Amino acid sequence: EVQIRSKVKPPNIATNKSMTHTMVSDSEATLKQGKISIKTPIAQGLLNKKVGDVVDIKVPRGDIKLHIDEITVGA
């Protein structure tokens, strides 16, 4: 299950692009290192989801659909 300090690999279903995001506190967030604040729309949409889940997330550019391929713990 995705929680703070989880590292998540959710490919975008529409574009098939995959990025790895680590869920961290606001003070630790660094986009260049793939660390996103737990308060961002993407992190909020991924919280408490499991491998295999598909989530629809509303972001400033519109809606994105992500498939959770992998979750690891520790950042």
Side-chain angles (χ1 to χ4, degrees), residues 8-55:
V8 185
K9 187 174 184 180
N12 183 319
I13 292 173
T15 64
N16 205 28
K17 288 176 104 176
S18 183
M19 292 185 68
T20 300
H21 303 292
T22 303
M23 310 296 143
V24 296
S25 68
D26 280 341
S27 62
E28 297 174 278
T30 307
L31 193 55
K32 287 183 180 180
Q33 294 177 354
K35 295 179 179 182
I36 61 172
S37 167
I38 203 77
K39 294 181 181 178
T40 64
I42 291 175
Q44 288 291 305
L46 293 172
L47 277 176
N48 301 313
K49 301 300 187 251
K50 298 176 182 173
V51 171
D53 286 352
V54 174
V55 293

